[in-house]
Amino acid sequence: MKNVVKAAAILATTAVAAPAAAEMELSLYVGTQSVDGSTGSGYLPGGAPISRSVDWEGKPFDSPIYYGGRAMWWLDNDIGFGIEGTHTKAYASQADMAAIGVSRLELSDGHNIITANVMKRWPGVFKATPKFTPYVGAGVGVAIPHVDIQVLGSGVRTFGYETTGPAVRAIAGLKYDLTENWALFGEYQAVWSDNDITIDPAFGQLPGKLNTELLTHAVNIGVSYSF
């Protein structure tokens, strides 16, 4: 984890220290997002062990919906540096919650991902359709989910934001220029995160822990403004 955080710091420092950008681009997007199943391990407050393969749902269209945004500073060589934040979600299935011993297990006010990105674009590569620009990118950062867990038989509900671990993002997309400043884009994103979640205890108990790696997939559509 230290190496991932260090890499994120280097990317962010490079973005700030880079020569004056030829262009700044602000982007907002929505889309559809899914979450792969993963193994959850750890223990509940009081010591009951957790070891379960969990089926997660993304529910991207339930409120609050899936969305994201980024700011990129593009240099003259069409390499960009920037920051991106995405509001994804993950809900455990009813069967998995019952097997673990909880009545709620969700990251539903966001399994929020913040990364420092490096991107590359190829304007004009399609000679017949020069308004289309393909791009790829990657980023490293942190997961900051809003954790909502209710242990069966407990009056204590874990409900709040936690910084749970490192995250890595991969992007591939295509932008279409509407005007000199405005553009539409579509893209695919995959985001991996390693989450070490603390479960609040009842009085006299030690906190619980849940560790799981999440891999999300998203297809985004969005609008960007460059200046």
Side-chain angles (χ1 to χ4, degrees):
M1 178 176 176
K2 289 182 179 179
N3 291 334
V4 174
V5 173
K6 186 182 295 184
I10 292 171
L11 282 173
T13 302
T14 304
V16 173
E23 177 186 334
M24 182 171 183
E25 182 180 54
L26 304 177
S27 302
L28 294 173
Y29 55 82
V30 294
T32 181
Q33 165 248 325
S34 63
V35 190
D36 286 357
S38 67
T39 299
S41 61
Y43 49 90
L44 296 176
I50 299 172
S51 181
R52 174 78 178 182
S53 180
V54 180
D55 289 326
W56 299 97
E57 293 183 75
K59 300 184 181 180
F61 305 115
D62 287 4
S63 181
I65 66 169
Y66 164 83
Y67 64 89
R70 61 176 170 260
M72 295 298 302
W73 290 265
W74 290 101
L75 307 182
D76 290 334
N77 59 3
D78 290 310
I79 293 177
F81 300 89
I83 300 295
E84 181 163 358
T86 310
H87 176 96
T88 67
K89 294 182 293 184
Y91 298 78
S93 70
Q94 291 291 333
D96 292 324
M97 288 191 291
I100 290 171
V102 297
S103 58
R104 300 180 70 91
L105 175 50
E106 57 190 60
L107 311 173
S108 52
D109 262 343
H111 182 252
N112 303 295
I113 303 294
I114 300 175
T115 58
N117 290 359
V118 177
M119 299 181 69
K120 171 64 178 177
R121 64 183 181 182
W122 291 271
V125 69
F126 301 126
K127 303 301 183 183
T129 53
K131 289 188 175 184
F132 285 98
T133 299
Y135 59 88
V136 297
V140 293
V142 294
I144 311 176
H146 187 278
V147 178
D148 188 353
I149 300 175
Q150 179 74 57
V151 178
L152 289 171
S154 171
V156 178
R157 182 181 177 189
T158 304
F159 190 76
Y161 291 98
E162 299 183 20
T163 301
T164 55
V168 179
R169 184 193 309 272
I171 309 166
L174 187 65
K175 184 177 78 168
Y176 177 78
D177 292 329
L178 296 173
T179 68
E180 183 178 348
N181 302 106
W182 291 95
L184 300 176
F185 63 89
E187 65 185 23
Y188 165 77
Q189 286 203 20
V191 177
W192 169 90
S193 61
D194 187 9
N195 300 273
D196 190 11
I197 296 168
T198 298
I199 305 173
D200 294 338
F203 181 77
Q205 294 180 327
L206 294 175
K209 288 288 185 181
L210 171 63
N211 181 263
T212 190
E213 297 181 14
L214 295 182
L215 179 61
T216 66
H217 306 271
V219 177
N220 303 327
I221 55 172
V223 60
S224 61
Y225 179 75
S226 301
F227 57 95

